[in-house]
Amino acid sequence: MKISVQNFGIISDASIEINGISLIAGPNDSGKSTIGKIFYSLVRGLNPDEDIFITEKNDTIRKFYQNILRILRDDKNIDISIYQTNRINDEWISSIETLAENFVGTQKNQLLRFCKIIKYQNEIEFNSIENKNIEISNYFLTEFNDEIQPVFNDEKITSIFIDDLEGTATLQYDFNPQLNKNINIFFNNSFFIESPSLIDNSLQDSILYEKRFSREKKSHLKFALANESNLILDDDFQITEIDRIISIISKIINGKLVVDDFQGVVYEKEGHEINIDNVALGIKGFGLIQLLLKNNQLNSRTLLIIDEPEIHLHPNWQVLYAEILVLLSKKLEIPILLTSHSPYFIEALKAFSEKYEFEEKTNFYFSQKSKDNLSAKIIDVSNDISPILMSISEAYFKISDIENE
């Protein structure tokens, strides 16, 4: 999957492809995490959940049906029982629109507007372009709080070009996202990891009480960490590779994380159970991948997004973490999008991609801020990552200058 982004938040221009592992580096406030949130919103928004669609559609219709009845109830000359029904169809809507002519002002406008909303909800279909626009809008609202168009140049048009195995489409944003055509994409799920700190005792609640569906990326991830996927894995090679990578992680952290409704959330080490609140975040970072693998939540159609995975990791563990990610993508074909500031992690990722002959599917991008720091352009540096390393090394030269004063 490849997206080309223009004028989205601080990003003036970016083209990012994920066909294995893609890493974005660059200074703070240069749009790196924004790209991850865009991918997350698109993947999940273009793969709506049918059960949720039906539930939310019925809830919306019921809500505005009840609003209409409240207005009718205020008029003592109307027998409200005539309009109480279990079948809110075109005929019923037409009767309310006719009745609305007897009202004036706000009440009339509300009745007509509520009828219009109900009619729209009745007509919308699950896999329609209209529903996908609504879903993408919901995710954008959750992730960006409607701060999408360029703050410092709101006259520019925000657009995203989507180039996928199953087709292409353009999404333009003008207060609401609008696809130019209905598109299905290869990726059908995504997990966004911002911090391993979400692994705590509340994961036990995700087994018992957490909703199966959530648009919010943290809740979506927590459910996956605590519950097995419905996916049945019958590929012997993949089963073997999953077990092997889980074993490698177990050796690195000298144990494993366990989440169940009886034990709660614990770190098992050398035959002892350690309360998760007393476990280092570095161990949780590895354990998070361990749990997703154990629960069969990762596969070739699930995009894994990790924001600055090196945080909380010693440089030695950053190198090992990079190897795990290359193995995940090489052996299990798991697509991965990363952001990073760490020279250890970035160079390790490049080295392991070459060691495992995966460099053709490992892409590096650099987010370059404008001179006025009001926008950023993300460029492909896969053939030469020196712009990334030069940017990171500036801190070292500044320290040297201070020491030589």
Side-chain angles (χ1 to χ4, degrees), residues 292-359:
L292 289 174
L293 287 172
K294 183 182 84 63
N295 289 337
N296 289 332
Q297 295 285 1
L298 299 178
N299 57 68
S300 63
R301 300 189 66 185
T302 298
L303 174 60
L304 179 62
I305 304 168
I306 312 178
D307 201 31
E308 299 177 15
E310 70 271 10
I311 294 178
H312 312 299
L313 294 178
H314 183 278
N316 288 342
W317 271 21
Q318 290 183 34
V319 173
L320 295 174
Y321 198 93
E323 182 175 20
I324 292 294
L325 295 180
V326 172
L327 288 174
L328 285 177
S329 199
K330 167 80 175 182
K331 301 296 185 180
L332 301 176
E333 299 182 351
I334 295 168
I336 302 172
L337 175 63
L338 307 164
T339 64
S340 179
H341 292 291
S342 168
Y344 305 109
F345 179 77
I346 294 167
E347 293 202 72
L349 192 73
K350 182 170 176 56
F352 283 120
S353 68
E354 292 170 356
K355 175 182 176 179
Y356 290 107
E357 298 181 348
F358 199 60
E359 61 267 36

Side-chain angles (χ1 to χ4, degrees), residues 350-403:
K350 182 170 176 56
F352 283 120
S353 68
E354 292 170 356
K355 175 182 176 179
Y356 290 107
E357 298 181 348
F358 199 60
E359 61 267 36
E360 298 256 333
K361 291 193 174 185
T362 304
N363 303 313
F364 293 88
Y365 298 90
F366 179 61
S367 186
Q368 201 168 38
K369 296 189 81 169
S370 60
K371 289 182 180 179
D372 59 10
N373 285 325
L374 299 182
S375 65
K377 183 177 182 180
I378 300 178
I379 59 175
D380 189 338
V381 294
S382 301
N383 294 326
D384 178 14
I385 67 169
S386 60
I388 294 175
L389 301 179
M390 286 287 290
S391 173
I392 295 171
S393 64
E394 286 179 13
Y396 171 78
F397 293 124
K398 286 181 179 179
I399 293 170
S400 295
D401 289 342
I402 293 169
E403 290 175 340

Side-chain angles (χ1 to χ4, degrees), residues 29 56 74 80 85 90 131 167 206 249 266 318 361 377:
D29 190 33
E56 291 184 345
D74 291 341
I80 193 175
T85 181
D90 288 346
N131 186 43
S206 296
I249 293 173
V266 296
Q318 290 183 34
K361 291 193 174 185
K377 183 177 182 180

Side-chain angles (χ1 to χ4, degrees), residues 31-306:
K32 301 185 302 299
S33 297
T34 296
I35 292 294
K37 291 178 180 180
I38 291 172
F39 266 106
Y40 179 81
S41 299
L42 290 176
V43 171
R44 298 209 60 207
L46 291 170
N47 289 281
D49 184 289
E50 190 164 10
D51 291 338
I52 297 300
F53 166 76
I54 293 170
T55 299
E56 291 184 345
K57 176 177 178 174
N58 290 337
D59 286 348
T60 300
I61 291 172
R62 184 176 180 82
K63 171 186 171 183
F64 287 100
Y65 162 70
Q66 290 174 344
N67 287 344
I68 288 171
L69 292 183
R70 288 190 185 97
I71 294 173
L72 300 185
R73 185 183 59 191
D74 291 341
D75 189 327
K76 304 303 181 184
N77 296 319
I78 295 175
D79 182 1
I80 193 175
S81 65
I82 297 173
Y83 302 98
Q84 292 171 332
T85 181
N86 289 323
R87 297 188 65 189
I88 306 172
N89 51 25
D90 288 346
E91 183 180 349
W92 184 89
I93 293 170
S94 180
S95 70
I96 299 298
E97 288 173 332
T98 301
L99 190 62
E101 297 303 320
N102 298 326
F103 289 79
V104 294
T106 301
Q107 287 188 321
K108 178 180 179 179
N109 292 334
Q110 285 182 330
L111 285 171
L112 293 175
R113 184 168 66 87
F114 294 162
C115 284
K116 187 176 180 180
I117 293 170
I118 292 174
K119 185 182 290 186
Y120 178 78
Q121 288 292 326
N122 273 338
E123 292 174 354
I124 196 168
E125 296 180 358
F126 166 64
N127 206 32
S128 65
I129 190 171
E130 291 82 8
N131 186 43
K132 290 180 180 178
N133 281 331
I134 291 170
E135 278 299 297
I136 293 171
S137 180
N138 286 333
Y139 282 100
F140 278 177
L141 179 62
T142 301
E143 296 302 324
F144 300 104
N145 198 27
D146 268 354
E147 293 182 357
I148 288 174
Q149 292 170 296
V151 175
F152 301 103
N153 193 342
D154 57 7
E155 294 181 0
K156 290 190 175 181
I157 297 172
T158 298
S159 67
I160 303 170
F161 179 71
I162 304 166
D163 186 357
D164 190 69
L165 178 69
E166 300 190 27
T168 62
T170 299
L171 183 147
Q172 287 196 343
Y173 187 91
D174 187 8
F175 299 106
N176 285 298
Q178 293 293 328
L179 288 163
N180 69 333
K181 63 180 179 181
N182 201 340
I183 183 175
N184 296 312
I185 60 173
F186 179 73
F187 298 155
N188 61 14
N189 195 12
S190 180
F191 296 115
F192 194 120
I193 301 172
E194 289 181 296
S195 170
S197 62
L198 61 74
I199 297 184
D200 57 24
N201 282 304
S202 69
L203 279 186
Q204 186 178 16
D205 297 335
S206 296
I207 302 174
L208 303 173
Y209 310 113
E210 196 82 31
K211 292 180 180 179
R212 178 186 64 83
F213 177 88
S214 174
R215 292 187 180 92
E216 200 279 316
K217 57 183 181 291
K218 183 176 178 180
S219 297
H220 181 59
L221 176 59
K222 287 180 75 172
F223 186 87
L225 291 169
N227 297 275
E228 287 189 21
S229 166
N230 293 327
L231 179 70
I232 298 173
L233 198 60
D234 56 5
D235 186 319
D236 290 340
F237 173 78
Q238 285 207 324
I239 293 171
T240 300
E241 287 300 321
I242 288 172
D243 289 342
R244 188 169 78 87
I245 295 172
I246 288 175
S247 177
I248 293 171
I249 293 173
S250 296
K251 288 178 181 176
I252 293 170
I253 64 175
N254 200 22
K256 64 179 181 179
L257 299 190
V258 175
V259 182
D260 68 36
D261 52 0
F262 178 70
Q263 289 177 274
V265 187
V266 296
Y267 169 44
E268 291 187 354
K269 179 180 180 180
E270 301 284 334
H272 297 278
E273 292 183 358
I274 301 171
N275 188 292
I276 199 66
D277 291 338
N278 298 320
V279 176
L281 286 171
I283 290 173
K284 290 181 180 181
F286 278 96
L288 200 151
I289 300 297
Q290 195 180 49
L291 287 171
L292 289 174
L293 287 172
K294 183 182 84 63
N295 289 337
N296 289 332
Q297 295 285 1
L298 299 178
N299 57 68
S300 63
R301 300 189 66 185
T302 298
L303 174 60
L304 179 62
I305 304 168
I306 312 178

